[in-house]
Amino acid sequence: MFLDVLSDNPFATNCWVVSADGSDEAAVVDPGFSPERVRAAVEGAGKRLVAVLATHGHLDHIGAAREVCRDDIPLFIHEEDALALTDQRAWGAGMPVDGNYRPAAVRTVGDGDVLEFAGFRIEVLHTPGHTPGSVCFVTEGFVF
Protein backbone atom coordinates (compact mmCIF):
# COMPACT_ATOMS: atom_id res chain seq x y z
CA MET A 1 0.00 0.00 0.00
CA PHE A 2 1.15 3.51 -0.79
CA LEU A 3 0.34 5.92 1.98
CA ASP A 4 1.50 9.50 2.33
CA VAL A 5 0.35 12.06 4.86
CA LEU A 6 0.63 15.82 4.61
CA SER A 7 0.10 17.56 7.94
CA ASP A 8 2.28 20.67 7.96
CA ASN A 9 -0.52 23.23 7.84
CA PRO A 10 -1.90 25.78 10.33
CA PHE A 11 -4.25 23.21 11.94
CA ALA A 12 -1.91 20.18 11.69
CA THR A 13 -4.75 18.41 9.88
CA ASN A 14 -3.84 15.12 8.24
CA CYS A 15 -4.38 14.84 4.50
CA TRP A 16 -3.88 11.28 3.28
CA VAL A 17 -2.88 10.04 -0.17
CA VAL A 18 -3.68 6.34 -0.42
CA SER A 19 -3.37 3.60 -3.02
CA ALA A 20 -3.42 -0.18 -2.82
CA ASP A 21 -0.36 -2.10 -3.90
CA GLY A 22 -0.42 -2.74 -7.62
CA SER A 23 -2.95 -0.01 -8.36
CA ASP A 24 -2.10 2.97 -10.53
CA GLU A 25 -4.99 4.89 -8.93
CA ALA A 26 -4.93 6.98 -5.75
CA ALA A 27 -7.49 8.63 -3.50
CA VAL A 28 -7.01 11.66 -1.26
CA VAL A 29 -8.68 11.99 2.13
CA ASP A 30 -9.28 15.45 3.67
CA PRO A 31 -7.53 17.96 1.41
CA GLY A 32 -7.70 21.02 3.63
CA PHE A 33 -4.60 22.86 2.42
CA SER A 34 -1.89 23.05 -0.24
CA PRO A 35 -3.61 21.67 -3.32
CA GLU A 36 -0.39 21.84 -5.34
CA ARG A 37 1.44 19.70 -2.77
CA VAL A 38 -1.40 17.19 -2.63
CA ARG A 39 -1.42 16.82 -6.42
CA ALA A 40 2.39 16.59 -6.45
CA ALA A 41 2.31 13.78 -3.87
CA VAL A 42 -0.08 11.78 -6.05
CA GLU A 43 1.87 12.41 -9.25
CA GLY A 44 5.23 11.87 -7.53
CA ALA A 45 4.08 8.38 -6.57
CA GLY A 46 3.23 7.66 -10.19
CA LYS A 47 -0.48 7.45 -9.40
CA ARG A 48 -3.59 8.82 -11.09
CA LEU A 49 -6.01 10.63 -8.78
CA VAL A 50 -9.52 9.15 -9.05
CA ALA A 51 -11.36 10.34 -5.93
CA VAL A 52 -11.25 12.75 -3.02
CA LEU A 53 -12.93 11.91 0.29
CA ALA A 54 -13.95 14.27 3.08
CA THR A 55 -14.42 12.90 6.59
CA HIS A 56 -16.44 16.04 7.40
CA GLY A 57 -17.09 19.58 6.23
CA HIS A 58 -14.82 21.74 8.35
CA LEU A 59 -12.62 24.03 6.30
CA ASP A 60 -9.38 22.36 7.39
CA HIS A 61 -10.65 19.15 5.75
CA ILE A 62 -12.24 20.55 2.55
CA GLY A 63 -10.49 23.89 1.97
CA ALA A 64 -8.44 22.64 -0.99
CA ALA A 65 -11.04 20.20 -2.37
CA ARG A 66 -12.06 22.37 -5.30
CA GLU A 67 -8.46 22.83 -6.48
CA VAL A 68 -7.46 19.21 -5.87
CA CYS A 69 -10.51 17.84 -7.69
CA ARG A 70 -10.39 20.38 -10.51
CA ASP A 71 -13.17 19.69 -13.02
CA ASP A 72 -12.92 15.92 -13.29
CA ILE A 73 -12.32 14.24 -9.93
CA PRO A 74 -15.34 13.56 -7.68
CA LEU A 75 -15.47 14.62 -4.04
CA PHE A 76 -17.29 12.23 -1.70
CA ILE A 77 -18.87 13.86 1.37
CA HIS A 78 -21.77 12.92 3.64
CA GLU A 79 -25.05 14.48 2.58
CA GLU A 80 -25.40 16.30 5.93
CA ASP A 81 -22.11 18.14 5.41
CA ALA A 82 -22.52 18.97 1.71
CA LEU A 83 -23.74 22.51 2.50
CA ALA A 84 -20.30 23.22 4.03
CA LEU A 85 -18.87 23.25 0.52
CA THR A 86 -20.74 26.41 -0.44
CA ASP A 87 -21.92 28.10 2.77
CA GLN A 88 -19.85 27.48 5.91
CA ARG A 89 -21.88 30.00 7.92
CA ALA A 90 -25.32 28.54 7.11
CA TRP A 91 -23.98 25.02 7.63
CA GLY A 92 -22.87 26.09 11.11
CA ALA A 93 -19.11 25.67 10.99
CA GLY A 94 -18.67 28.05 13.89
CA MET A 95 -16.03 29.95 11.97
CA PRO A 96 -16.58 33.25 10.15
CA VAL A 97 -15.47 31.88 6.79
CA ASP A 98 -16.85 32.62 3.35
CA GLY A 99 -15.95 30.80 0.18
CA ASN A 100 -16.92 28.21 -2.36
CA TYR A 101 -15.05 24.94 -1.85
CA ARG A 102 -17.39 22.86 -4.02
CA PRO A 103 -15.73 21.02 -6.89
CA ALA A 104 -17.60 20.39 -10.12
CA ALA A 105 -18.32 16.74 -9.23
CA VAL A 106 -19.74 16.09 -5.77
CA ARG A 107 -21.10 12.71 -4.68
CA THR A 108 -22.94 12.53 -1.38
CA VAL A 109 -22.58 9.38 0.68
CA GLY A 110 -24.47 7.85 3.57
CA ASP A 111 -24.00 5.21 6.22
CA GLY A 112 -23.22 1.80 4.77
CA ASP A 113 -22.35 2.99 1.27
CA VAL A 114 -19.48 1.11 -0.33
CA LEU A 115 -17.00 2.85 -2.63
CA GLU A 116 -14.46 1.05 -4.78
CA PHE A 117 -11.40 2.71 -6.28
CA ALA A 118 -7.61 2.97 -5.90
CA GLY A 119 -7.60 -0.79 -5.29
CA PHE A 120 -9.76 -0.50 -2.18
CA ARG A 121 -13.25 -1.38 -1.07
CA ILE A 122 -14.19 1.48 1.27
CA GLU A 123 -17.23 1.40 3.55
CA VAL A 124 -18.79 4.64 4.78
CA LEU A 125 -19.54 4.67 8.50
CA HIS A 126 -21.62 7.67 9.58
CA THR A 127 -20.22 8.96 12.88
CA PRO A 128 -22.11 12.20 13.65
CA GLY A 129 -20.99 14.29 16.57
CA HIS A 130 -18.04 16.38 15.48
CA THR A 131 -20.30 17.51 12.62
CA PRO A 132 -23.71 16.19 11.54
CA GLY A 133 -22.11 14.50 8.54
CA SER A 134 -18.90 13.19 10.07
CA VAL A 135 -17.91 9.83 8.65
CA CYS A 136 -15.18 7.27 8.91
CA PHE A 137 -13.94 5.57 5.77
CA VAL A 138 -13.25 1.94 6.62
CA THR A 139 -11.05 -0.27 4.48
CA GLU A 140 -9.01 -3.36 5.18
CA GLY A 141 -6.33 -2.35 7.64
CA PHE A 142 -7.27 1.34 7.89
CA VAL A 143 -9.94 3.65 9.23
CA PHE A 144 -9.81 7.28 8.10
Side-chain angles (χ1 to χ4, degrees), residues 51-125:
V52 174
L53 311 170
T55 58
H56 65 285
H58 282 146
L59 185 62
D60 58 324
H61 292 259
I62 63 164
R66 185 177 182 153
E67 292 85 4
V68 171
C69 291
R70 298 187 180 150
D71 291 331
D72 55 340
I73 306 300
L75 170 71
F76 294 84
I77 189 168
H78 191 274
E79 57 199 357
E80 291 189 40
D81 279 11
L83 180 59
L85 296 168
T86 55
D87 195 337
Q88 287 271 307
R89 291 174 197 258
W91 172 68
M95 296 167 46
V97 178
D98 290 316
N100 183 353
Y101 308 100
R102 183 182 177 87
V106 174
R107 309 285 186 268
T108 57
V109 296
D111 190 54
D113 286 353
V114 175
L115 311 172
E116 293 190 38
F117 40 68
F120 292 104
R121 181 179 185 277
I122 301 166
E123 183 176 351
V124 178
L125 178 62

Side-chain angles (χ1 to χ4, degrees), residues 4 11 18-19 22 44 47-49 53 57 60 63 68 98 104 114 136:
D4 195 4
F11 291 86
V18 296
S19 178
K47 306 291 182 177
R48 180 176 50 89
L49 183 61
L53 311 170
D60 58 324
V68 171
D98 290 316
V114 175
C136 292

Side-chain angles (χ1 to χ4, degrees), residues 15-18 26-31 38-39 42 49 51-54 68:
C15 171
W16 303 93
V17 178
V18 296
V28 168
V29 181
D30 289 341
V38 173
R39 280 277 186 163
V42 172
L49 183 61
V52 174
L53 311 170
V68 171

